[in-house]
């Protein structure tokens, strides 16, 4: 809502500057987003009187104009032709500066000296009239006066950012009431008693409201014998300042009054309404209407329309029809001021995507009481500004049942909610400043009567807000709540998530946060099969783009995008992870809340850690992620994790593992399939993992059991074997444990070698074994015996001892 | 006698200081502290001293012995190190080389801020609650006093899944879920962090962002308590000098409602571009829980009152870390993420 400050002052004098008022309003709940000067400064542009207009001797499209600016009479060459001798026009003297830093100089045009320029509104920075049309000023404009001052271009505009509850401030008079409450100044109403002349409207015209629920009040007045023309310059300027495009005198008046009262009005060409009748009714299913914007609209039974006896002539409260539009030919108008059902208007405006200043006001509900005042004010203004006759008689179909209502208010309750100590007198004074009527019913019991213009005040708490905002939020003390202690440690799963983050961070990983929606296409590009659970996507009904078309079932797309982004910026070395929810529908389309489960997704690529003079870096691969996951499993003491050789549709066929927990799949680790990597323009190998967290969390145990320290020293032996690559490391390790018996206490693979030193198809694995007995030291002979057993177990795999 | 001791001390100190080899130092040690050394000799003559003075002289002499021993030991270490000059030179390291890097990553800045917010409120006795990100219209709007087809819904443009389900536009539905679960027991004191979604996408809006909701319901919770809690939060988060300012506002689920500003941390309230020259920065919305919301969730608004607040985590992170572009949070650019390591 734009509030031109001088216009506001027609209704109230706040007794302060626009900026001071803006601060006051903002701190009391009507946020003023900005205060701006309306127009440009126009140094050197003054009021000139056109004395003489002559044809340019050389150019037929130019005229020579003699202009009197009081201090001098000057001659200029002009290209426009919409003015005549005797008109007052804005004249830019040589040396003046127009908007856009346009300097006006004395020039010669086709042999004629031009000492300045006659200005169009556009040249003064005003969106008025045609671009090449000289602005004609008021006859009374004083000769030589600065035009910027004359047109109030320095008027300050307050831009109100209204919350939806304060629709009362969608009109300047409503704003004036608010200013009155803040300053104590009085609201002055504009004149709204039209002089009635001629025949009586009711004698030849009637209004029928068929659906009073959708239209609780409808008023109409008619003006005859008028000429449609431009409205006076002052009104056009005021509308511009409000952000409204001036159109013609009648339409401008309806908009002007809407800005005053917050009550939208509509004007019909009276002669185009068939059979002297307006019918307010629901549209029929087969009905159509071409609205003012020229679009043909198909209507339905939910749409409230204004009709005459033969046709629809307007979408009630939203937009008028083309068939009864005010045109230059219009000689008589019917002015509608009505109240419509907010929800119905909202639906219609949404349905046809026709939000307008009018529908915005109807959606929030207009004041049923002031419908009439606005009607009369419009008739008054049209009567004043045109030659038209405001006809006798006013039609007012009023079925509105809304009356001022009362709220019980306990001053003690006010202070109890606020934690304040505001005296009853102050409370009463504040409510009175707001224009509310008070009655002291009992001790600590006020009955407050609320006028129709404040529909947001419904319950005691609403009044509490009014009281505290006028008392001053800054005057409320600051205290802390008191009360019982409650157990407030975070839940185990939250703590476990936190722990996972900490562990991964200490393994060198960076946390990412990516969008919870994905482009479903990315799953096909990951070659995920139609019957895969990850294809059970919950679609978003109204995404901006395909990128938000569905809720994610995997976090992989987000991390792949992050990898793409980083590689494209030459950040090639990365260890990334994300913890977040995926969404699994219980049915599609969903009828119940879907399941939201936590996933951990990791991605590595390039070399880690950052190479330094003292630490080498390695290619981040499968084992990088497996190692990080093992850290997590170990810290949570989750046992029962196994890995099986199985690829995902998008991973490398022989560099992928499925993770099982107690035999059930909880995720995977795998290098991205080279073809998929190429499709994603990933120029280097990328390894990914994704695991479900809930199964892990169910088994997690953060409390280690400590065993007593061994009293006898351990014996350490190394064992290296050469064995076929077909044999997996886990098979060998299992065999070692099996053969080692209870005296074997630890096995650690410390070297793995494939290459020239061992035969093709084989590899060498070197283990460090630790033997220990609880009670007593192991003898050399005992150790040799166990070692021998272990070796024999390995020989069964075709292993040979190395070196 | 004391004079003699003093003389001996001065002389011995000089000698020790001037010694140039370990052998010489050993000789000095013997000549003073040895069996026939000067101090030993002096002590033997203690018998001649007045019996009254004797203990004092004795302890002074002992103190001197200890002091000289320490001096000699220190000198000896100096002399030994000096004699090993070549060895040290060979073992010289370049202390200007960078240290061995620890391969640490870092949490996302939004997690860091979220964790800090949680820490502050847990410290104040709040529980942490969570709710679903795909929410029903009922919890996201209706139970929070946004009637169907009401303009208040335009304040937040939603992503819909079906007519009944949507991506939550705020964390406020958790208020209702928690109250429903706890009612009628008191107190309710929770924060609810999480992702929220709005149909906005430009330089200052992201279709997904993070909020932290707060809710306290008890027998005598006041607007002043809300103010106090938020002031404390602002000071913990942005520094002990912080001021807050509450401006009346509107949310369907609170009454009275407030927008809360903190004093601009960029310009110390003097006015700058970030605060549009107001000296204030809006960081959250708050208010007293609307009686209808309490009632719907199972509490009797005649018996209890409550306050609620909701803050944007991105907004706080941007202010705290001086981040100018919201989109940086979701591109996961390592050049950005590494600035928090
Ligand atoms: Zn600032």
């Amino acid at each position: 809502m734009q509030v031109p400050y001088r216009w506001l002052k027609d209704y109230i004098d706040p007794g302060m500057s626009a900026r001071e008022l803006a601060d006051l309003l903002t701190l009391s709940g009507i946020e003023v987003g900005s205060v701006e000067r309306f127009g440009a400064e126009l140094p050197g542009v003054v009021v000139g009187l056109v004395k003489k207009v002559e044809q340019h001797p050389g150019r037929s499209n130019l005229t020579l104009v003699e202009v009197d600016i009081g201090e001098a009479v000057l001659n200029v060459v002009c290209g426009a032709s919409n003015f005549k001798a005797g008109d007052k026009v804005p004249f830019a003297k040589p040396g003046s500066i127009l908007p856009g830093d346009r300097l006006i100089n004395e020039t010669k045009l086709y042999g004629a000296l031009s000492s300045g320029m006659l200005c169009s509104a556009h040249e003064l920075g005003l969106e008025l009239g045609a671009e090449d049309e000289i602005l004609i000023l008021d006859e009374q404009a004083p000769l030589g006066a600065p035009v910027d001052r004359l047109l109030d271009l320095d008027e300050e505009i307050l831009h109100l950012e209204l919350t939806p509850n304060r629709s009362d401030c969608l009109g300047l008079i409503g704003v004036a009431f608010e200013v009155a409450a803040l300053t104590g100044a009085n609201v002055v109403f504009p004149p709204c008693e039209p002089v009635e002349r001629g025949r009586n409207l009711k004698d030849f015209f009637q209004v029928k409201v068929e659906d009073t629920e959708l239209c609780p009040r409808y008023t109409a007045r008619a003006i005859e014998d008028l000429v449609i023309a431009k409205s006076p310059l002052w009104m056009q300027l005021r509308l511009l300042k409000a952000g409204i495009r001036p159109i013609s005198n009648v339409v401008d008046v309806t908009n002007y009054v809407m800005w005053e009262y917050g009550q939208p009005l509509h004007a019909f060409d009276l002669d185009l309404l068939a059979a002297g009748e307006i019918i307010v009714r629901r549209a029929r299913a087969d009905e159509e209407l071409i609205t003012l914007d020229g679009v043909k609209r198909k209507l339905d039974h939910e749409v409230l329309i204004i009709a005459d006896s033969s046709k629809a002539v307007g979408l009630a409260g939203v937009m008028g029809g083309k068939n009864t539009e005010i045109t230059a030919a219009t000689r008589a108008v019917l002015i509608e001021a009505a109240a419509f059902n907010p929800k119905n208007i909202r639906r219609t405006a949404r349905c046809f995507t026709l939000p307008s200043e009018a529908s915005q006001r109807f959606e929030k509900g207009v004041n049923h009481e002031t419908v009439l005042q606005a009607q009369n004010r419009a008739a008054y203004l049209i009567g004043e500004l045109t030659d038209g006759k405001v006809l006798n008689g006013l039609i007012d179909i009023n079925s509105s049942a809304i009356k001022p209502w009362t709220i019980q208010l306990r001053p003690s309750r006010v202070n109890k909610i606020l934690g304040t100590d505001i005296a009853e007198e102050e409370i009463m004074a504040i409510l009175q400043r707001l224009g509310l009527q008070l009655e002291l019913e009992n001790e600590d019991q006020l009955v407050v009567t609320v006028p129709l213009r404040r529909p947001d005040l419904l319950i005691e708490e609403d009044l509490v807000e009014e009281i505290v905002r006028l008392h001053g939020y800054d005057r409320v003390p600051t205290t802390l709540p008191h009360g019982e202690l409650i157990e407030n440690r975070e839940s185990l799963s939250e703590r476990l998530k936190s722990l996972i983050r900490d562990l991964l961070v200490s393994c060198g990983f960076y946390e990412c946060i990516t969008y919870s929606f994905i482009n479903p296409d990315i799953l096909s590009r990951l070659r995920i099969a139609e019957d895969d659970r990850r294809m059970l996507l919950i679609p978003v009904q109204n995404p901006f783009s395909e990128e938000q078309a569905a809720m994610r079932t995997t976090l992989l797309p987000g991390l792949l995008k992050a990898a793409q982004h980083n590689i494209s910026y030459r950040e090639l070395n990365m260890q990334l992870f994300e913890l977040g929810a995926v969404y699994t529908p219980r049915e599609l389309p969903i009828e119940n809340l879907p399941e939201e489960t936590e996933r951990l997704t990791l991605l590595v690529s390039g070399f880690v850690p950052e190479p330094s003079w003292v630490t080498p870096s390695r290619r981040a691969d499968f084992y990088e992620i497996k190692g990080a996951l093992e850290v997590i499993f170990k810290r949570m003491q989750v046992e029962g994790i196994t890995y099986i050789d199985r690829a995902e549709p998008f991973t490398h066929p022989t560099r992928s593992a499925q993770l099982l927990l107690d035999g059930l799949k909880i995720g995977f680790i795998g290098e991205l399939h080279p073809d998929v990597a190429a499709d994603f323009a990933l120029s280097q190998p990328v390894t990914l993992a994704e695991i479900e967290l809930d199964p892990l969390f169910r088994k997690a145990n953060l409390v280690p059991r400590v065993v007593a320290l061994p009293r006898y020293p351990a014996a350490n032996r190394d064992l290296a074997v050469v064995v076929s690559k077909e044999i997996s490391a886990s098979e060998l390790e299992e065999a070692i444990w099996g053969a080692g018996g209870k005296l074997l206490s630890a096995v650690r693979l410390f070297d793995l070698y494939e290459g020239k030193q061992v035969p093709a198809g084989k590899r060498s694995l070197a283990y460090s074994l630790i033997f220990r007995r609880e009670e007593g030291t192991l003898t050399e002979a005992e150790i040799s015996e166990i070692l021998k057993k272990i070796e024999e177990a390995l020989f069964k795999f075709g292993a040979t001892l190395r070196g | 006698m004391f004079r003699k001791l003093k003389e001996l001390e001065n002389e011995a100190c000089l000698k020790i200081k001037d010694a140039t080899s370990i052998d010489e130092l050993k000789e000095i040690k013997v000549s003073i502290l040895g069996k026939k050394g000067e101090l030993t000799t002096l002590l033997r003559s203690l018998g001649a001293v007045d019996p009254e003075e004797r203990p004092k002289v004795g302890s002074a002499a002992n103190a001197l012995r200890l002091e000289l021993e320490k001096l000699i030991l220190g000198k000896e270490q100096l002399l030994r190190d000096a004699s090993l000059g070549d060895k040290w030179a060979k073992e010289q390291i370049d202390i200007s080389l960078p240290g061995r890097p620890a391969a640490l990553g870092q949490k996302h800045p939004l997690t860091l801020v979220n964790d800090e917010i949680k820490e502050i409120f847990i410290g104040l006795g709040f529980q942490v609650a969570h709710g679903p990100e795909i929410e029903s219209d009922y919890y996201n709007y209706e139970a929070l006093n946004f009637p169907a087809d009401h303009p208040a819904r335009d304040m937040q443009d939603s992503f819909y899944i079906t007519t009944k389900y949507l991506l939550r536009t705020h964390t406020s539905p958790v208020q209702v879920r928690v109250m429903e679960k706890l009612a009628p027991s008191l107190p309710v004191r929770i924060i609810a962090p999480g992702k929220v979604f709005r149909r906005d996408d430009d330089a200052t809006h992201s279709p997904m962002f993070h909020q932290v909701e707060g809710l306290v319901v008890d027998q005598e919770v006041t607007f002043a308590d809300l103010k106090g809690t938020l002031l404390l939060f602002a000071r913990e988060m942005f520094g002990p000098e912080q001021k807050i300012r509450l401006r009346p506002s509107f949310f369907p689920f609170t009454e009275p409602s407030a927008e809360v500003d903190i004093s601009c941390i960029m310009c110390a309230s003097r006015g700058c571009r970030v605060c549009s020259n107001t000296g204030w920065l809006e960081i959250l919305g708050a208010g007293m829980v609307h009686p209808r919301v309490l009632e719907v969730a199972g509490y009797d608004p005649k018996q209890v009152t409550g306050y609620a607040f909701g803050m944007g985590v991105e907004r706080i992170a941007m202010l705290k870390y001086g981040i100018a572009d919201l989109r940086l949070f979701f591109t996961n650019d390592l050049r950005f993420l590494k600035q928090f390591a």
Side-chain angles (χ1 to χ4, degrees):
Chain A
M1 173 77 189
Q2 287 174 222
V3 176
Y5 193 54
R6 288 196 192 118
W7 188 357
L8 176 69
K9 281 181 161 178
D10 280 6
Y11 318 110
I12 193 156
D13 180 9
M16 60 185 78
S17 74
R19 270 166 210 284
E20 284 165 340
L21 180 64
D23 287 344
L24 189 61
L25 284 168
T26 295
L27 285 179
S28 60
I30 304 289
E31 188 173 347
V32 180
S34 61
V35 180
E36 281 164 9
R37 184 194 155 104
F38 167 67
E41 282 183 58
L42 301 171
V45 182
V46 298
V47 176
L49 171 67
V50 177
K51 304 272 282 187
K52 212 160 55 178
V53 185
E54 275 172 13
Q55 175 72 47
H56 188 285
R59 313 286 298 187
S60 63
N61 58 341
L62 295 180
T63 49
L64 299 176
V65 187
E66 197 179 292
V67 186
D68 182 358
I69 57 168
E71 66 194 39
V73 175
L74 297 164
N75 290 296
V76 294
V77 178
C78 183
S81 55
N82 67 309
F83 58 93
K84 56 185 190 306
D87 280 345
K88 288 214 173 129
V89 293
F91 180 77
K93 297 191 282 188
S96 54
I97 299 164
L98 297 184
D101 284 334
R102 184 169 165 204
L103 179 67
I104 302 305
N105 281 321
E106 206 167 61
T107 50
K108 259 199 166 157
L109 279 171
Y110 304 101
L113 188 70
S114 187
S115 312
M117 190 177 91
L118 307 189
C119 303
S120 73
H122 287 261
E123 281 161 334
L124 303 180
L126 299 169
E127 302 266 322
L128 279 180
E131 300 223 6
D132 57 353
E133 206 176 276
I134 300 304
L135 178 65
I136 311 294
L137 301 172
D138 222 38
E139 282 167 33
Q140 276 85 45
L143 220 55
V147 166
D148 48 8
R149 192 64 202 84
L150 178 82
L151 300 182
D152 277 347
L153 297 189
D154 61 337
E155 180 160 5
E156 281 164 304
I157 315 292
L158 282 69
H159 292 258
L160 307 191
E161 289 170 8
L162 293 173
T163 52
N165 59 327
R166 292 306 303 270
S167 54
D168 58 303
C169 288
L170 284 170
L172 295 175
I173 294 173
V175 176
F177 274 111
E178 178 70 14
V179 174
L182 296 176
T183 62
N186 289 320
V187 179
V188 181
F189 292 94
C192 58
E193 287 308 318
V195 180
E196 296 183 327
R197 292 186 286 166
R199 55 180 179 155
N200 195 310
L201 176 64
K202 289 175 185 170
D203 292 343
F204 66 95
F205 201 90
Q206 61 171 341
V207 173
K208 273 191 242 161
V209 177
E210 287 187 2
D211 194 323
T212 53
E213 197 197 316
L214 296 189
C215 177
R217 189 167 194 184
Y218 195 99
T219 67
R221 268 190 184 278
I223 298 101
E224 283 186 337
D225 301 334
L226 51 68
V227 176
I228 300 298
K230 280 186 191 170
S231 58
L233 188 55
W234 64 265
M235 180 175 276
Q236 295 188 46
L237 282 166
R238 279 196 164 178
L239 289 177
L240 277 184
K241 288 170 187 172
I244 294 173
R245 196 164 54 91
I247 294 169
S248 67
N249 46 11
V250 170
V251 177
D252 287 358
V253 165
T254 59
N255 285 326
Y256 188 87
V257 174
M258 172 170 76
W259 222 252
E260 287 184 308
Y261 283 86
Q263 167 68 48
L265 303 167
H266 186 69
F268 300 96
D269 187 323
L270 183 61
D271 297 327
L272 299 176
L273 290 170
E277 190 174 43
I278 281 280
I279 306 162
V280 184
R281 61 169 169 84
R282 287 169 180 267
R284 290 186 295 267
D286 56 346
E287 245 173 322
E288 283 177 348
L289 173 69
I290 297 174
T291 41
L292 281 175
D293 54 4
V295 180
K296 185 186 274 186
R297 314 274 175 183
K298 285 197 180 311
L299 310 178
D300 63 50
H301 193 61
E302 292 300 312
V303 179
L304 186 74
I305 58 163
I306 311 300
D308 62 16
S309 57
S310 66
K311 60 186 182 289
V313 297
L315 295 175
V318 177
M319 192 179 265
K322 197 90 187 158
N323 51 14
T324 49
E325 187 183 7
I326 305 297
T327 65
T330 302
R331 290 293 168 266
V333 296
L334 185 86
I335 303 291
E336 160 199 291
F340 298 111
N341 177 295
K343 283 188 182 180
N344 182 266
I345 298 296
R346 182 174 155 87
R347 184 194 171 273
T348 305
R350 298 224 138 192
C351 210
F352 297 117
T353 43
L354 276 177
S356 63
E357 291 287 350
S359 69
Q360 189 202 337
R361 285 171 174 74
F362 282 123
E363 273 182 34
K364 288 170 181 154
V366 296
N367 181 348
H368 292 188
E369 243 170 26
T370 49
V371 169
L372 191 60
Q373 290 165 37
Q375 172 67 265
N376 286 334
R377 170 73 172 153
Y380 168 85
L381 282 171
I382 295 173
E384 289 290 304
L385 302 179
T386 71
D387 301 328
K389 281 190 301 204
V390 178
L391 296 191
N392 273 296
L394 159 84
I395 297 174
D396 182 3
I397 312 293
N398 188 359
S399 52
S400 170
I402 304 181
K403 300 242 152 46
W405 54 94
T406 59
I407 301 172
Q408 306 278 326
L409 178 76
R410 292 157 289 170
S412 65
R413 173 93 178 147
V414 174
N415 286 314
K416 196 172 171 215
I417 290 173
L418 297 174
T420 48
D421 200 8
I422 308 175
E424 195 170 307
E425 295 72 48
E426 190 189 342
I427 289 173
M428 293 174 67
I430 288 172
L431 295 173
Q432 275 159 346
R433 260 158 57 202
L434 284 162
L436 311 182
Q437 279 173 27
L438 304 180
E439 211 180 300
L440 190 59
E441 201 173 64
N442 281 308
E443 196 188 334
D444 198 32
Q445 188 82 35
L446 287 167
V447 180
V448 181
T449 306
V450 182
L452 264 57
R453 65 181 167 78
R454 288 302 303 274
D456 58 317
L457 304 181
L458 295 169
I459 57 172
E460 194 174 26
E461 281 75 8
D462 295 327
L463 296 179
V464 172
E465 177 169 274
E466 292 301 294
I467 292 159
V468 66
R469 77 185 180 88
L470 293 187
H471 171 74
Y473 274 26
D474 56 327
R475 289 167 67 198
V476 175
T478 54
T479 53
L480 281 179
H482 53 275
E484 267 175 56
L485 292 180
I486 44 177
E487 203 274 340
N488 70 334
R489 193 181 186 195
E490 277 208 89
S491 71
L492 180 64
S493 64
E494 287 304 310
R495 278 181 283 141
L496 288 172
K497 281 197 272 179
S498 224
L499 174 67
I500 289 176
R501 286 192 177 98
D502 286 338
L503 292 174
L504 288 174
V505 164
S506 59
C507 292
F509 282 77
Y510 282 87
E511 186 186 15
C512 296
I513 296 181
T514 70
Y515 288 143
S516 296
F517 12 64
I518 55 170
N519 185 339
D521 178 50
I522 211 168
L523 298 186
S524 331
R525 286 172 65 200
L526 288 173
R527 306 162 162 197
I528 295 176
E530 284 301 321
D531 59 353
D532 191 295
R533 273 176 55 206
R534 287 170 288 202
M535 293 300 272
L536 274 181
L537 291 166
I538 301 174
V540 175
Q541 234 179 32
N542 56 339
F544 282 124
S545 71
E546 276 299 297
E547 295 305 305
Q548 300 142 352
M551 299 311 290
R552 65 185 177 187
T553 50
T554 159
L555 278 50
L556 295 170
L559 282 193
L560 280 171
K561 265 194 188 169
Q564 260 178 343
H565 174 90
N566 281 302
I567 289 173
S568 72
Y569 285 93
R570 306 296 299 160
E571 281 288 323
L572 303 177
N573 305 322
M574 63 193 86
Q575 291 164 281
L576 308 177
F577 77 98
E578 182 174 11
L579 265 174
V582 297
Y583 311 83
T584 317
R586 295 174 206 275
E587 66 282 306
L588 276 173
I590 66 166
E591 284 160 24
N592 295 283
L593 283 185
E595 219 180 317
E596 292 177 18
T597 45
E598 296 286 335
R599 290 279 172 84
L600 167 64
T601 303
L602 303 101
L603 182 150
V604 297
S605 189
F607 289 84
V608 294
E610 288 285 322
S612 83
W613 68 276
V614 73
T615 38
S617 65
R618 54 190 184 258
R619 182 171 277 289
D621 57 10
F622 180 94
Y623 301 106
E624 202 67 45
I625 292 187
K626 189 176 180 189
L629 290 178
E630 279 167 351
V631 166
I632 293 170
F633 299 150
K634 178 162 183 294
R635 176 67 68 87
M636 294 190 181
Q637 302 187 78
V638 172
E639 282 167 11
I641 298 277
T642 49
Y643 297 83
I644 56 174
D645 255 310
R646 191 160 302 162
E648 292 289 318
F650 47 85
T651 60
H652 190 294
T654 54
R655 289 183 175 178
S656 300
Q658 217 170 64
L659 262 79
L660 309 180
L661 176 57
D662 298 333
L664 294 175
K665 181 183 176 186
I666 59 160
F668 75 90
I669 311 175
E671 192 174 306
L672 198 61
H673 193 292
D675 293 350
V676 177
D679 180 38
F680 281 85
L682 296 166
S683 49
Q684 59 186 45
V686 166
T687 305
L688 301 153
E690 182 158 68
I691 61 169
E692 290 171 43
L693 291 180
D694 286 346
L696 274 190
F697 288 176
R698 281 195 290 272
K699 288 203 77 179
N701 171 17
L702 292 181
V703 189
R705 282 310 299 173
V706 173
V707 294
L709 299 185
R711 280 185 293 165
Y712 298 92
N716 199 338
R717 293 292 181 277
D718 289 350
L719 172 67
V721 290
V722 175
V723 66
S724 161
K725 276 160 75 175
E726 303 285 303
I727 311 298
S728 74
S730 59
E731 285 174 279
L732 294 176
E733 201 176 311
E734 234 170 82
I736 294 172
W737 280 110
K742 61 178 199 289
L743 296 179
L744 178 63
S745 78
V747 178
R748 183 168 51 85
L749 178 69
F750 71 87
D751 188 44
L752 176 74
Y753 177 79
E754 282 176 45
K756 284 182 200 146
Q757 315 279 325
V758 295
K762 300 204 170 198
R763 57 181 179 174
S764 149
L765 298 100
Y767 293 94
S768 158
L769 308 174
I770 294 173
F771 300 97
R772 166 175 280 140
R773 179 151 56 205
E774 300 236 340
E775 298 299 326
T777 313
L778 283 166
T779 64
E780 194 54 47
E782 283 172 309
I783 295 169
S784 299
E785 195 181 328
I786 310 167
L787 257 182
K788 210 170 158 205
K789 276 191 200 159
I790 293 174
E791 287 165 9
E792 276 161 9
L794 297 181
F795 293 158
K796 286 186 189 144
F797 292 104
T800 54
L801 290 182
R802 182 159 187 251
Chain B
M1 200 63 185
F2 280 112
R3 193 176 45 81
K4 275 190 189 165
L5 273 174
K6 193 71 204 162
E7 275 169 17
L8 180 62
E9 181 182 354
N10 288 344
E11 207 174 308
C13 285
L14 265 181
K15 274 191 198 159
I16 293 166
K17 195 176 158 234
D18 292 342
T20 54
S21 72
I22 289 180
D23 287 345
E24 190 188 337
L25 193 68
K26 273 182 186 156
E27 275 167 33
I28 295 168
K29 187 175 179 182
V30 171
S31 74
I32 302 168
L33 304 173
K35 276 181 192 159
K36 291 177 185 161
E38 291 170 58
L39 185 63
T40 325
T41 317
L42 197 72
L43 276 173
R44 276 198 200 112
S45 65
L46 210 60
V49 177
D50 180 352
E52 297 238 327
E53 288 277 290
R54 215 176 285 159
K56 282 188 192 162
V57 177
S59 72
N62 264 326
L64 181 57
R65 166 181 284 275
L66 287 174
E67 192 203 321
L68 292 177
E69 276 172 352
K70 223 162 95 186
L71 268 179
I72 289 165
L73 190 68
K75 183 69 183 182
E76 193 183 332
Q77 281 164 358
L78 274 181
L79 288 171
R80 182 169 304 125
D81 280 0
S83 71
L84 291 173
D86 287 350
K87 172 180 156 64
W88 303 139
K90 262 186 238 155
E91 293 177 3
Q92 170 90 53
I93 61 165
D94 179 358
I95 56 154
S96 72
L97 280 170
R100 186 171 283 117
L104 283 181
Q106 181 57 301
K107 295 181 196 179
H108 194 281
L110 292 175
T111 305
L112 297 175
V113 170
N114 203 49
D115 285 352
E116 192 172 351
I117 296 172
K118 283 200 293 192
E119 189 179 53
I120 293 168
F121 285 104
I122 289 173
L124 281 171
F126 284 65
Q127 291 172 322
V128 183
H130 298 271
E133 291 164 13
I134 297 182
E135 217 3 312
S136 68
D137 186 85
Y138 177 78
Y139 285 106
N140 194 76
Y141 284 131
E142 222 174 298
L144 289 166
N145 201 24
F146 288 80
D149 274 331
H150 193 273
R153 289 196 179 195
D154 296 345
M155 292 166 87
Q156 306 171 359
D157 209 351
S158 342
F159 282 112
Y160 276 93
I161 303 291
T162 65
T163 46
K164 202 181 146 199
Y165 293 102
L166 71 164
L167 302 186
R168 67 175 174 191
T169 56
H170 45 188
T171 41
S172 312
V174 185
Q175 286 187 29
V176 183
R177 288 183 175 276
V178 167
M179 282 193 278
E180 276 184 354
K181 211 170 83 187
L182 294 181
S185 76
L186 293 171
V188 180
R189 209 183 293 131
I190 57 137
I191 56 162
K195 292 189 169 85
V196 300
F197 306 84
R198 287 187 200 173
R199 227 173 150 272
D200 269 328
D201 199 358
D202 56 46
T204 52
H205 295 91
S206 162
M208 178 184 96
F209 57 102
H210 296 77
Q211 280 189 340
V212 176
E213 192 80 6
L215 172 72
V216 173
V217 178
D218 208 343
Q219 259 154 9
E220 283 179 341
V221 181
T222 66
F223 194 64
D225 292 341
L226 171 64
K227 253 183 104 170
T229 308
L230 295 176
L231 178 63
L232 196 141
F233 167 75
R235 292 188 168 168
E236 289 287 334
M237 199 65 183
F238 294 105
E241 301 305 319
Q242 270 302 319
K243 292 195 223 11
I244 60 167
R245 179 178 85 168
L246 274 67
R247 284 177 289 114
S249 188
F250 169 75
F251 307 105
F253 45 100
T254 51
E255 189 74 36
S257 303
E259 298 274 12
V260 182
D261 303 332
I262 56 165
S263 36
C264 180
I265 51 174
M266 305 292 172
C267 63
S269 300
R270 277 188 292 270
C272 68
R273 201 178 46 80
V274 176
C275 61
S276 316
N277 283 312
T278 61
W280 295 98
L281 295 166
E282 186 180 320
I283 58 157
L284 56 86
M288 299 303 290
V289 182
H290 196 287
R292 213 167 301 152
V293 175
L294 288 172
E295 206 169 348
V296 162
Y299 285 95
D300 180 356
K302 289 188 213 73
Q303 303 298 321
V304 305
T305 51
Y307 70 63
F309 56 84
M311 61 184 94
V313 182
E314 280 79 358
R315 169 88 175 145
I316 290 171
M318 288 171 90
L319 293 175
K320 194 168 170 95
Y321 300 129
I323 298 168
D325 184 354
L326 176 69
R327 287 181 251 223
L328 279 173
F329 289 119
F330 303 108
T331 44
N332 299 297
D333 190 315
L334 280 164
R335 294 168 301 169
F336 172 68
L337 298 177
K338 284 182 176 173
Q339 293 184 41
F340 301 90

